[in-house]
Amino acid sequence: MVTLRSAWSVRRVVSTGVAQKRTLHAKTSPFPEKLAFAFDIDGVLKQGHHNVLPQAKRVLRLLSGADGRLPKPIPFLLITNGGGVPDEERRKALSEELGVELTENQLVQSHTPIKDYVDKYRENPVLIVGGKGESCRRVAESYGLKHAFIPQDIVAWKPSIWDRTELTEAERSFVRTEDFSNIPFSAALILHDTHDWGRDITLILDLLSSDKGIFGTRREGHNRADVKGDVELVFSNADVEWRSDWPIPRLGQGAFRLSLESVYKETTGLDLPYKQFGKPFKATYDFSELMLRRYLSSVGRDPKGPLNVYMVGDNPLSDIDGANRHGWSSILVRTGVFHDTHGEKPSHTPTIICDDVEKGVEWAIEQELRRGS
Ligand SMILES: [Mg+2]
């Protein structure tokens, strides 16, 4: 059997120097040209907030070419439903934690695909919801949005718009006060879990029923299905629950959306119109494949050729379902939320179940070498 170790072990190639070793290597070893990987982070590369799995470090060093065992890197990226900080900050922090230098095309947070999507709103006022403080405003601005406002800005303008909670001193230090009575919003973008559901649901409902996206107005026929609104609603993550360090799952952005849908239905009789990003949704997988191709281009390889992508994840609902629907191979690992110690079957069937990310990558490489792709 061809294993990852036998395929690229330095011991296979007798050489006297690193440069010579790599040259010989490239000539003598088969290389899976079409192979690419997409890794979930939590439960695959990390367990808990700070614990990076040692096998994850080894795998990323191999694929990136950092350990010198490969003649050239095998493309990979990380796809997480997490977010709330600008991609560049998260990329730097993860590079340090994981011990490999990730490039700009190798990290997809829940809101990263929104960057391309919201380019049309570059010059328009948008409401940015979620995250701590004004962290998501910084995310939006890093995506080129020039007029990104947050709920605290609106409350600072007219406290009576939501008088159930008061702005803190810290919030007062970063609010941007404007006269919002004549500022037309084009979109409300939920980029992370929100901290004040009552306030945020109220403000989003106001905008959805507004006349031309202006707070304090109400559109004629706002509760009629045939009259389209002026404000687009976008969510970055559909997870109803997520795991913090608390032993019981916590409510996430998906739960916020369910609440908003329910209140919107109750007050207008209509289904909530929205666009959804994040795993397992198509938009996120389409964007991730585009990122893999941008990465190939950045390392001088053909970005247009066929790719056999293997998604490695711990969550059948998001990682495996999304990968299967996108035509990728899927590898479910046992280091996160999925366990089959009592013979449990995953809700979505992966191509294979492996103990951990390293076993999964070894299996995928063997597959590709056997296929001769
Ligand atoms: Mg996970």
Side-chain angles (χ1 to χ4, degrees):
M1 180 193 289
V2 182
T3 67
L4 177 133
R5 193 166 292 280
S6 66
W8 287 299
S9 168
V10 287
R11 273 171 284 165
R12 275 186 81 202
V13 183
V14 180
S15 67
T16 51
V18 172
Q20 189 185 356
K21 179 174 74 185
R22 284 186 177 156
T23 310
L24 284 170
H25 216 108
K27 284 179 184 165
T28 55
S29 297
F31 189 85
E33 295 287 344
K34 298 176 189 166
L35 177 60
F37 287 98
F39 298 108
D40 175 39
I41 298 177
D42 296 317
V44 174
L45 304 179
K46 292 170 71 175
Q47 284 178 322
H49 277 313
H50 304 293
N51 183 22
V52 176
L53 292 169
Q55 52 271 56
K57 282 195 170 183
R58 288 197 295 271
V59 158
L60 297 185
R61 279 180 56 75
L62 169 80
L63 299 180
S64 62
D67 68 3
R69 286 199 284 158
L70 290 181
K72 57 187 171 186
I74 290 177
F76 71 89
L77 53 66
L78 317 185
I79 315 177
T80 172
N81 268 355
V85 290
D87 294 315
E88 187 61 12
E89 280 178 34
R90 188 86 202 276
R91 186 177 69 77
K92 280 189 182 147
L94 276 171
S95 295
E96 206 153 291
E97 278 182 282
L98 299 171
V100 289
E101 191 60 31
L102 298 169
T103 68
E104 61 173 338
N105 297 314
Q106 287 182 292
L107 173 64
V108 177
Q109 299 195 88
S110 67
H111 43 67
T112 313
I114 289 176
K115 177 181 182 177
D116 286 2
Y117 184 74
V118 298
D119 198 51
K120 57 190 173 183
Y121 298 130
R122 184 171 278 266
E123 305 292 335
N124 302 30
V126 291
L127 182 68
I128 302 299
V129 178
K132 287 183 181 158
E134 61 169 353
S135 62
C136 283
R137 182 189 338 247
R138 290 194 295 115
V139 172
E141 288 177 343
S142 76
Y143 293 165
L145 296 172
K146 294 181 182 164
H147 307 285
F149 296 103
I150 57 177
Q152 292 94 325
D153 300 337
I154 313 298
V155 174
W157 162 60
K158 295 281 185 198
S160 62
I161 204 167
W162 178 255
D163 64 3
R164 294 300 186 252
T165 45
E166 290 197 358
L167 294 178
T168 64
E169 274 311 304
E171 287 173 321
R172 288 185 193 286
S173 71
F174 59 68
V175 291
R176 297 181 189 169
T177 42
E178 300 271 352
D179 178 4
F180 289 104
S181 64
N182 51 25
I183 293 184
F185 282 80
S186 294
L189 312 177
I190 292 76
L191 298 187
H192 200 44
D193 295 333
T194 82
H195 292 249
D196 190 335
W197 285 28
R199 178 196 66 196
D200 296 345
I201 286 176
T202 303
L203 295 186
I204 293 168
L205 287 177
D206 279 353
L207 284 184
L208 293 178
S209 297
S210 69
D211 186 24
K212 299 186 177 57
I214 294 175
F215 277 109
T217 66
R218 186 142 277 191
R219 184 176 71 259
E220 183 80 20
H222 72 277
N223 52 1
R224 278 176 36 202
D226 60 331
V227 180
K228 206 172 166 295
D230 301 299
V231 177
E232 184 179 18
L233 180 61
V234 178
F235 292 94
S236 65
N237 175 356
D239 292 346
V240 175
E241 293 182 329
W242 64 286
R243 285 201 177 269
S244 69
D245 291 333
W246 187 249
I248 298 162
R250 305 290 81 193
L251 295 181
Q253 202 189 118
F256 174 77
R257 194 204 70 219
L258 288 170
S259 306
L260 179 58
E261 278 186 286
S262 175
V263 181
Y264 188 72
K265 185 84 174 176
E266 181 68 23
T267 54
T268 65
L270 302 175
D271 292 333
L272 186 73
Y274 64 90
K275 169 92 178 165
Q276 180 71 63
F277 286 84
K279 290 181 289 187
F281 294 92
K282 185 176 185 312
T284 287
Y285 285 81
D286 284 344
F287 181 81
S288 298
E289 191 151 333
L290 181 70
M291 290 277 271
L292 279 170
R293 292 183 185 283
R294 285 179 186 167
Y295 172 82
L296 282 170
S297 186
S298 74
V299 294
R301 287 176 58 186
D302 176 16
K304 296 202 179 81
L307 276 181
N308 294 336
V309 185
Y310 290 72
M311 169 96 214
V312 187
D314 70 316
N315 189 335
L317 279 177
S318 54
D319 305 318
I320 305 305
D321 182 27
N324 290 350
R325 279 201 262 163
H326 202 68
W328 291 357
S329 298
S330 53
I331 299 170
L332 179 60
V333 292
R334 298 187 172 98
T335 47
V337 297
F338 173 73
H339 295 285
D340 57 356
T341 35
H342 303 294
E344 298 93 329
K345 294 271 179 279
S347 56
H348 295 271
T349 307
T351 314
I352 193 170
I353 300 175
C354 293
D355 282 345
D356 60 34
V357 63
E358 192 169 36
K359 294 265 173 22
V361 165
E362 285 183 3
W363 176 82
I365 290 173
E366 285 167 20
Q367 288 290 108
E368 290 300 303
L369 289 177
R370 222 178 266 143
R371 279 192 199 175
S373 63

